[in-house]
Every structure is written in structure tokens, then in C-alpha cells.
Amino acid sequence: MEIKPDVGSWLDRLTSSIHDENLRSPLGDALPRFPTEELQASTTGLSGAAALAPAAAFYADIVDTMDRVGIHASPDWRVLDFGSGWGRITRFFLREARLANIAGLDVDPQFVTLSNQLFGEEIFHTCAPLPPSLFAAESFDLVTAFSVFSHLSETACRLWVDEFARILKPGGLFAFTTRNEWFLDFCSQVPADTPIGHMRVLRTLFADWEDVRRRFRAGEFVHTATGGGGVRDSSYYGESFIPRSYIEREYSRDFDLVMTSDAPQPGNARRAISDRNAEYDQALFILRRR
């Protein structure tokens, strides 16, 4: 997608904050610091400006959708970043919300501690793999989950969707990404002799790729329990592929689907931000609380 000039300027400021700790958000908050490049790369495969590019694309899709459905951030607007990690996504919303009105949730207490240090405020909290959360009903205007529903089991996704319905205000948005058919094809085509360890894991996610593809196209939630190390055990964590028809069918009790976009072609995935065209290799869904 093409990054609009105002989002591009904001991205420039966030990128500059990698080396300039004196920069502030449009609302006056100090911009958060960054973890080591090694930690960034271990969680996203990218670091520095490259790590911000897919986050910027996700953020741009959300603010574009806000404009389209007539949502305007106000001084008391509140944002929750679910699966917040080191705050890569969280920091983008400092343009719309004050730091005190932003919160993060993550299952990993080490990330929570780190993020609170990077942001300079105790706004990140540890959560259990399954809800409830610590937040009051109808207390947020936006919930984001970038590359989180790409990994949670069907039960975990269902329970967290119900929880977000509880804590979102009527008309609030829930924006998330998940694995899609492009990634399914990518995994199935990894060469058997690949020397890259995590690629070998992707190649062996499923024994029958055609059956998995059939189930996905039939509207099934497809999940394989791999675990992710540490607190991310296989009881709820793995690789998940959620088709649009499933989301429209299963999450429609409390939400309307207001925006969706699929991943780019492989040659465009994670392209450089220099030409203001950033992509992420997952499907995006934005739901609106009724």
C-alpha cells in the first residue's frame, strides 16, 4: 500500500527516534527508546527502520479505516496493543493518543518489563494466555493485535475476541492480522534441503498440504500447535490460518467486518519504506464493535 504523506512524516519521526532520544509525539509525549537490534531481529526478523516498515503499513491501514468510517481520535481516546512485544506497534499510536491512554498486554513478563523501561511508564501488563484481562468494560476505542492471531489456537482466538468485545466501546475497532493462503503456499514450497532452520520448521507444519488448503478454502480455522518457546507453549500457541469466511461467520455476534486486505505477492512483501510503499505478509481484518 502507498503510505500517505502525514503517515510518512510520522514514520520519519519514529525512525529518527532510533538515534534521537529527545524527540516527542505530536501530543507532547517523549518517544520511546528501542531495544537492541539483536532483540528486534529475534522477534521480527528485522531491525531499525526495516522493522518499522510493516508496522507502519499496519498503522496506515488502521488510520485509513478510521477516516473512512468516521472515527476521529479525541484527547481521551484509548488504545490497547495486544501481544505488544517490545512496543513496535504501540509507539505508532502516540500520534492519536496520549501515552497515559495507551496500554499493552503480553504473555511474556520479560517483554512487559522491557517495554515499560523503553516507554518510561508502567503502561504494559502481563496477561495469561487466556482472558479475562484486567481492564474494565467499554474502556478502549481501539484494540490492535499484529501477528498475534497468526499464532493463537482457535479457542484462544475465540475467547480473546469475546474479551475485546467486552472492553471495547460501542463503535470501537479491533484490528488484527493472521496467516493467509499466500503464506500457506509459501510454507508448502520450502525446499527440503533448505539450510535455514526456521524454514525447515515451516515446511513440516502439515503432512498433507492439499488437505489443509482445502479446509482453509472451505472456511475452517486451521491451526497447528508448535509452541513458540518460553511461556508460549503448544497448548495455545502455534501457526494459525484464518479465512475471511470464518471471521464473518464466527465473530459476527458482536462485530461487523469493516476492512480486510490480503498479503502482497512474495516479491513485494516487506519492501523498503523508501518509496512510501510498505507491505506485511499477512491478511488484515478490522472489526467494528456494534
Side-chain angles (χ1 to χ4, degrees), residues 43-83:
T43 56
T44 68
L46 303 166
S47 63
L52 291 178
F58 178 63
Y59 167 78
D61 277 333
I62 294 172
V63 295
D64 283 350
T65 301
M66 289 170 55
D67 288 342
R68 183 168 57 82
V69 301
I71 294 177
H72 305 286
S74 61
D76 61 348
W77 209 63
R78 297 196 68 206
V79 180
L80 171 65
D81 186 16
F82 178 64

Side-chain angles (χ1 to χ4, degrees), residues 214-233:
R214 177 193 60 76
R215 288 164 50 202
F216 181 88
R217 291 175 176 173
E220 291 186 33
F221 188 116
V222 178
H223 175 79
T224 180
T226 63
V231 295
R232 300 169 188 82
D233 65 58

Side-chain angles (χ1 to χ4, degrees), residues 92-152:
F92 275 87
F93 291 94
L94 286 166
R95 194 177 75 145
E96 281 70 32
R98 297 186 183 280
L99 181 61
N101 288 340
I102 294 178
L105 275 183
D106 201 283
V107 72
D108 191 329
Q110 292 182 329
F111 273 127
V112 169
T113 299
L114 172 64
S115 293
N116 283 327
Q117 294 170 349
L118 296 175
F119 280 69
E121 295 286 345
E122 298 290 320
I123 62 171
F124 293 88
H125 309 275
T126 304
C127 65
L130 301 178
S133 68
L134 72 164
F135 302 113
E138 299 186 5
S139 55
F140 287 97
D141 299 277
L142 170 68
V143 175
T144 67
F146 185 79
S147 194
V148 181
F149 276 43
S150 312
H151 300 289
L152 299 184

Side-chain angles (χ1 to χ4, degrees), residues 17-31:
S17 72
I18 296 173
H19 304 293
D20 187 346
E21 297 184 0
N22 297 315
L23 293 177
R24 292 186 170 269
S25 74
L27 300 178
D29 291 301
L31 294 184

